[in-house]
Amino acid sequence: MIRNVTKSRSFPAIAPHSSRILSKSIPICQHRRSYAVRTDEATLSNVGDRAHGFTLQRIKGVPELNLTAKHLSHDTTGAQYLHVARDDKNNVFAISFKTNPTDDTGLPHILEHVSLCGSQQFPVRDPFFKMMPRSLSNFMNAFTSSDYTSYPFATTNKQDFQNLSSVYLDATLRPLLKKSDFLQEGWRLGPENPRDQDSSSDVRLKGVVYNEMKGQMSDSSYLFYVRFRDHIFPALHNSGGDPQKMTNLTHEQLVNFHKRNYHPSNARIFSYGDLDLSNQLELVNTHLGGFQKAEAGDDVKSALDLGGGPFEAVVSGPIDTLQSPDRQYKSSVSWNTCQTSDLVETFSLSIMSSLLLSGYGSPLYRGLIESGLGLGYSSNTGFDTSANVAMFTLGLDGMRKEDTSTLKSAIVRILEQSSDEAFEPHKVDGLLHQLELALKHKTSSFGMGLLDKLLPGWFNGADPLESLSWNSIIDAFKQRYSQGGYLQDLLAKYILNDRCFIFTMEPAETYHSDLDAQELVRKEQALSSVEKELNSSADEAVKHLRNQELELLLEQEDAKNSNVDCLPTLHVQDIPKEIERKPIEIIEIGNVELIQRETATNGITYFQAKHIIENLPKELRLLLPLFTDCLMRLGTRTRSVGELEDTILLKTGGISISPFTRPDPLSLQGATEGLVISGHALDGNVPALLDLTKTLLLEIDFSGDKAMAAVMELLESKASGALDSIAEAGNAFASMSASAALSRSSRLEEEKSGLSQVDAISQLLRQARNDPDSLRSVVERLQHIQQFAVSNSSQLAIRMVCEPSAVGANQQQLANFISNLPNGSSPLPPLPSAQSVNSDATSLRTFFDLPYQVSYTGSCFRTVNYDNPASAPLAILGQLLTHHYLHPEIREKGGAYGASANASPISGLFSMSSYRDPNPRKTLQTFQKAGVFARDRAWTSRELEEAKLGLFQRIDAPRDVSSEGAKEFMSGVTEDMEQPRRQRLLEVKPEDVQMAADQFLSQAKPDEQSVTILGESKSWLNDLPEKYTVRRLNVAQE
């Protein structure tokens, strides 16, 4: 997996393109959980103590995070090891390597994939994917960042932790790195269908990473970011890989890079939790045996020296077909700041960055986006602490050509005029209050969050132990800030100057066609190279490639039946038979049901409310997401949005309001919809939390030209970048579109968050540009929704999680809150007349023609409701098809980045999907054969056991305390419903799976199955036996 954005944006207060206010924790201290401070074995309690080949170099207790950190080094190789001991059963392990890329071929990224395809101790094909269903891990992955590669996992099972540690260590230190795995995962040249044809016209460039990066390069936000990195870090190439350069990479180069970089002397090893450190060091030491100390390839690559600035660069990028033709430019301005090893100044600059650009009321948002200079922040905007020098970047999407030259002067003018206002004490206090809440917030992913925070700095000169000293860093900041003018001085020191880099992406109408033409040239060059290497004709070269492809296919086929007994595994008996119950109490406050969960929360109250809206017209449903965005964008008659944001920062940990759809778990066509409100605050601030919630729901001012301008701004920002958002999660959008044709709940959800929603926003924007009066009618309809958004009625329900000591006061505050809401539930008031928006993405066979180099496919089948006995084998079937059919057929053979199957017990739908898929036509054929494959396969007890383990990874994954009781509240599934389903899942037999596959997949009626494909339309679409409805998202033009 390529981690495409490696920057660390500190203190994001408000995401301007979401309906969420101040709901994100501060990354510099994310994932807090309160436990007793933990120390380890007595044999490793003093500096200089040794155990299993490691020596303890330093030890540091961090009481505010309830942990003890130990920094060790391996005596023989010099490998660095950081262990964070904490009373947390969700243990984390990672081995990471410094992997500065030497070119743009994506060598580190391809190596990340190939290293997981088999190792000396585990010589089976793809042990990484084969371990997934043999484990109960709640996180298991690998990722390539800009200058390092990391292999992390997390699990609560002690044996699982040992198993995965062995697999990860052997995979990284002693991989097989076979040529065939390089061809499969990296790139190769070969016939599309080697068993059918033998002609040069059928030869194409293939490879999992090759297709993954073609998909990434279709995302203009990613493209802007990676091209920006190319220029600002000239010494640090594109680690993910550019498809235009990837075909220059050889297998020999990959092997040599591994030998040089995947060495213990170049490694950072991390563990976290309540594990036995001595045992883990013994295991790690075993895997480090045979290595000697080597020169570490850990050079720190610095950004461009901007001392002689300003510097400028311009590159070309694709047209955004959902955006106005005259707003196709992206531009940014960047300044280098302090060394990231200076923790206090880095922290201070992160505070400064957030105050300046986060939130609708921030000076940079008002001055750059609200003013219309751009439609939203660019993908590289923020305070980036991933390198040895921190960088502040401010950029915009959706700019006009003539405005790009004025961006820097506009930024400087805004900063000079507004910094004093931005740095007022109450605003700083609000951010520090967020930090206090983040420290108290209990989360299940603390260890993974800590790893993400520490790794970039650890590889670039920052001290990982000192980076944990939150209180001393904050105290130092407070002391400097108290002197007056501190943040203003930092602004003048680093930003208000010409030592900057201006980067612009201009639109090229032929961008995608140029890529296609360039790929054709690369294909011909690669084919010519084969001819020269073999000293043969073109036909003989193609025959050679065909044989190579057939050999790879044979190896892939053989891998299906290979013996994987050498891999460690858990067993079904390791799955608890009983669910872990979280008792709740259900009480009534007037007509409102309250689900109450009493537990240890570190003095925080978590609040969630849902308000059901019945008989909502489609036209208003399509506007519901825009309505919730407006609640976060507009102020009231007496308070500006900036003032609301400041109060939320000071009094709460965030408030979010969004639409929801709830399938009825006991009825396939049953569904409810409405608004869901979430927030949390210290117990003493619950009155403020509820008062702010009421203000957002009832008092937002939709009147006047200012509101109209804000709504127009939201429409522009939602349309800008929508294509990139679809590309990032194309499989989800495809599956959502397909499911909308089969169930009412899926249709309602698709209209609010799927392609129908994108289409509706585009239509509204086009109408508003062509006819300003249409915008007025949109605002009237948003006011109309406000009339029934919430009420004191049985349509309202509330969930609360808090300490037992806070229950009484909270119930009284909730009673006051409810009593101040509009009374009763009545029919929706008449809808104001206006120009209608007609957006419908529902069809049994749909193709969305979108400008992507790869495709995304989703196929759905209607099955049974939650309590039907067939629901259990369908869930197991999803796991079996994913690992034994879709993965080998669509990823390994077809070259797609991913493919999966899933049965949703609540919606009653079974889905299959592919991601960044170069061959959707073949994928459709694979989907169509899935039922027969699963029906006729003789499933073994081992395969069934693995499917159950894979399923329970998700079911039993650790949950944040804030979510306790949420499943029953939002889905209607109680613990008493969960327990019998759990039993049925554990008891599923092979014949149950075969019967389910036959009944619901191979024997499905035409109106019980649907397909949606996203991608560039091709001629083969007309050759399919079924007729597809071809749709194009409406282009917003002025």
Side-chain angles (χ1 to χ4, degrees), residues 556-572:
Q556 292 165 339
E557 292 286 350
D558 289 345
K560 291 182 182 180
N561 303 312
S562 62
N563 190 335
V564 296
D565 289 344
C566 64
L567 290 172
T569 185
L570 297 182
H571 299 280
V572 168

Side-chain angles (χ1 to χ4, degrees), residues 168-236:
Y168 269 56
L169 287 164
D170 203 59
T172 54
L173 297 173
R174 294 178 176 84
L176 299 178
L177 301 182
K178 295 187 298 182
K179 177 70 174 292
S180 57
D181 292 327
F182 170 78
L183 295 174
Q184 173 185 290
E185 297 295 316
W187 79 274
R188 67 187 186 276
L189 188 67
E192 179 179 348
N193 299 303
R195 290 182 173 132
D196 299 332
Q197 300 183 41
D198 188 16
S199 66
S200 58
S201 62
D202 189 46
V203 171
R204 62 165 55 188
L205 291 167
K206 301 180 175 185
V208 172
V209 175
Y210 183 80
N211 288 316
E212 176 190 357
M213 297 314 297
K214 283 180 66 176
Q216 283 281 46
M217 292 301 187
S218 296
D219 181 335
S220 64
S221 293
Y222 171 80
L223 183 66
F224 181 78
Y225 179 75
V226 79
R227 293 291 184 245
F228 162 77
R229 294 278 302 188
D230 288 343
H231 286 80
I232 197 70
F233 281 95
L236 197 61

Side-chain angles (χ1 to χ4, degrees), residues 97 210-211 295 323 375 458 552 676 868:
F97 304 91
Y210 183 80
N211 288 316
E295 183 177 351
Q323 196 44 263
L375 300 180
W458 196 6
L552 181 59
V676 60
N868 190 299

Side-chain angles (χ1 to χ4, degrees), residues 431-669:
L431 290 181
L432 295 179
H433 176 249
Q434 297 302 299
L435 180 60
E436 178 188 3
L437 278 168
L439 286 167
K440 289 177 172 289
H441 179 56
K442 288 188 174 184
T443 177
S444 59
S445 55
F446 182 96
M448 285 303 306
L450 202 62
L451 175 66
D452 284 345
K453 171 67 180 69
L454 294 176
L455 267 183
W458 196 6
F459 276 114
N460 285 286
D463 186 330
L465 265 64
E466 293 304 316
S467 298
L468 294 171
S469 303
W470 311 121
N471 279 355
S472 61
I473 293 171
I474 295 167
D475 289 344
F477 164 76
K478 288 180 177 179
Q479 193 278 327
R480 296 183 189 184
Y481 179 73
S482 68
Q483 303 302 311
Y486 174 53
L487 295 178
Q488 288 88 339
D489 291 344
L490 289 178
L491 185 66
K493 178 180 178 181
Y494 290 116
I495 311 300
L496 300 180
N497 56 63
D498 286 335
R499 300 188 299 274
C500 62
F501 173 63
I502 302 170
F503 181 72
T504 302
M505 179 178 284
E506 60 183 10
E509 291 186 9
T510 61
Y511 181 81
H512 288 295
S513 60
D514 289 346
L515 288 183
D516 291 339
Q518 291 162 9
E519 183 175 48
L520 183 60
V521 171
R522 293 198 306 276
K523 185 192 81 169
E524 295 300 329
Q525 290 173 340
L527 184 58
S528 178
S529 296
V530 175
E531 294 172 19
K532 292 178 181 179
E533 182 181 339
L534 299 176
N535 191 23
S536 68
S537 66
D539 287 343
E540 290 173 329
V542 171
K543 184 177 181 179
H544 167 78
L545 293 172
R546 178 176 179 269
N547 290 333
Q548 176 181 271
E549 196 77 7
L550 288 171
E551 289 173 4
L552 181 59
L553 281 172
L554 181 62
E555 185 174 341
Q556 292 165 339
E557 292 286 350
D558 289 345
K560 291 182 182 180
N561 303 312
S562 62
N563 190 335
V564 296
D565 289 344
C566 64
L567 290 172
T569 185
L570 297 182
H571 299 280
V572 168
Q573 54 263 37
D574 294 307
I575 302 172
K577 300 297 184 293
E578 299 289 326
I579 63 171
E580 183 181 359
R581 293 182 178 266
K582 306 284 185 180
I584 60 172
E585 182 181 3
I586 301 178
I587 64 175
E588 300 285 335
I589 301 180
N591 294 319
V592 177
E593 181 180 89
L594 169 65
I595 290 183
Q596 183 174 283
R597 165 71 178 154
E598 299 177 25
T599 188
T601 64
N602 281 340
I604 296 177
T605 291
Y606 298 94
F607 162 82
Q608 187 175 41
K610 64 177 181 183
H611 186 253
I612 295 173
I613 303 173
E614 296 180 333
N615 303 314
L616 184 66
K618 177 181 177 180
E619 197 163 349
L620 293 184
R621 181 179 304 113
L622 291 168
L623 289 175
L624 210 54
L626 180 61
F627 171 75
T628 56
D629 287 345
C630 286
L631 300 183
M632 305 306 176
R633 175 62 187 89
L634 305 176
T636 69
R637 292 183 182 274
T638 59
R639 302 167 77 181
S640 69
V641 64
E643 290 170 332
L644 284 174
E645 290 171 355
D646 291 343
T647 306
I648 289 170
L649 275 170
L650 280 166
K651 297 296 183 180
T652 81
I655 302 173
S656 70
I657 304 175
S658 60
F660 81 91
T661 304
R662 193 198 95 169
D664 185 340
L666 303 180
S667 171
L668 290 180
Q669 294 302 325

Side-chain angles (χ1 to χ4, degrees), residues 919-972:
N919 198 342
R921 184 181 187 180
K922 186 176 180 182
T923 294
L924 286 179
Q925 296 170 351
T926 302
F927 286 169
Q928 290 164 359
K929 298 174 183 177
V932 173
F933 170 85
R935 180 197 65 193
D936 295 345
R937 171 134 174 164
W939 298 105
T940 67
S941 58
R942 177 65 246 173
E943 289 169 341
L944 215 65
E945 185 170 56
E946 289 177 354
K948 294 174 183 179
L949 287 166
L951 194 64
F952 278 95
Q953 286 176 7
R954 298 197 301 267
I955 294 174
D956 290 347
R959 301 285 189 267
D960 293 354
V961 67
S962 60
S963 68
E964 292 180 6
K967 187 170 185 178
E968 177 171 348
F969 181 70
M970 290 305 301
S971 71

Side-chain angles (χ1 to χ4, degrees), residues 327-340:
R327 282 192 173 272
Q328 295 288 335
Y329 282 75
K330 303 174 188 287
S331 190
S332 65
V333 186
S334 303
W335 291 267
N336 288 330
T337 62
C338 68
Q339 294 281 328
T340 50

Side-chain angles (χ1 to χ4, degrees), residues 40-60 68-75 79-84 277 281 465:
D40 283 306
E41 297 74 10
T43 55
L44 286 170
S45 57
N46 298 300
V47 172
D49 286 351
R50 299 181 63 193
H52 305 296
F54 285 87
T55 299
L56 181 62
Q57 302 294 331
R58 294 182 298 160
I59 185 169
K60 186 178 185 67
T68 301
K70 298 184 176 184
H71 185 200
L72 306 101
S73 64
H74 190 243
D75 299 335
Q80 300 296 298
Y81 192 119
L82 178 64
H83 176 64
V84 177
L277 178 59
L281 291 177
L465 265 64

